[in-house]
Amino acid sequence: MPPQLGPGQVYVMKSGWVFHTRPCQIVRRTWDFNPSGLLVVEAEGAEGRRECGSCRAGDKPSG
């Protein structure tokens, strides 16, 4: 599993226009196949990005 988020933190990819508020499938797959591409940042650092649809919908981790 990816690193846990602290208060006020989100996941972002090094490139892209989306932020993630939970370890959704996209975050988990990125962590599995390209962990250096996944960053944990303060939510303010994600300005200009939109929230991931899976995170917003409450996608549940499988397993």
Side-chain angles (χ1 to χ4, degrees), residues 13-56:
M13 309 311 166
K14 281 188 176 178
S15 62
W17 299 103
V18 178
F19 68 89
H20 305 266
T21 56
R22 53 184 301 136
C24 68
Q25 182 179 10
I26 296 164
V27 169
R28 292 189 316 267
R29 287 187 60 79
T30 301
W31 181 252
D32 288 345
F33 296 103
N34 183 20
S36 66
L38 181 67
L39 306 173
V40 174
V41 301
E42 295 300 318
E44 294 140 7
E47 283 184 21
R49 294 180 184 232
R50 64 179 173 78
E51 184 177 4
C52 163
S54 293
C55 292
R56 187 173 46 249

Side-chain angles (χ1 to χ4, degrees), residues 2-13:
Q4 283 193 302
L5 294 175
Q9 293 182 324
V10 296
Y11 299 107
V12 297
M13 309 311 166

